[in-house]
Amino acid sequence: YELAAGVDATHLSQPQMATFQRHGAHLVKLRDEGVVIVGGHTNDMQHLRGLVIVKAKDVAAARALAAEDPGVQDGIMKVSVEPFTLAIPPR
């Protein structure tokens, strides 16, 4: 995830803040359903980026999941979906 042009994470409007809260709740729900494996964001608030690894049957399914995200639907986030192969699993 990246912020859309013109969105400043350090100065969010009330509607943008509400969208961020819905975004987080959405990802927690997907985690609880076993879809989200792990997620997080960078600490640089001037260039905030997020990464979420999900279980999906294919790239199209992952893109559909991303399109359902409140941040994407409300236009304050843009998302890029890339296939990922776990090369070094956790111990």
Side-chain angles (χ1 to χ4, degrees):
Y1 293 91
E2 286 188 73
L3 296 178
V7 178
D8 180 351
T10 64
H11 296 93
L12 295 172
S13 67
Q14 284 294 345
Q16 290 171 331
M17 181 58 75
T19 295
F20 264 93
Q21 290 169 342
R22 290 194 333 272
H23 161 73
H26 175 72
L27 292 177
V28 168
K29 177 180 174 280
L30 291 176
R31 183 214 47 207
D32 292 347
E33 293 172 357
V35 176
V36 167
I37 306 300
V38 66
H41 61 80
T42 60
N43 293 334
D44 180 358
M45 295 304 284
Q46 299 301 320
H47 197 263
L48 190 64
R49 291 182 182 201
L51 174 70
V52 177
I53 298 177
V54 301
K55 285 184 190 176
K57 68 178 184 173
D58 55 29
V59 174
R63 285 192 176 112
L65 280 171
E68 294 171 359
D69 188 282
V72 175
Q73 289 183 346
D74 287 0
I76 68 167
M77 296 177 188
K78 53 187 181 174
V79 67
S80 171
V81 176
E82 299 289 335
F84 179 83
T85 300
L86 184 63
I88 304 172
R91 292 185 178 200

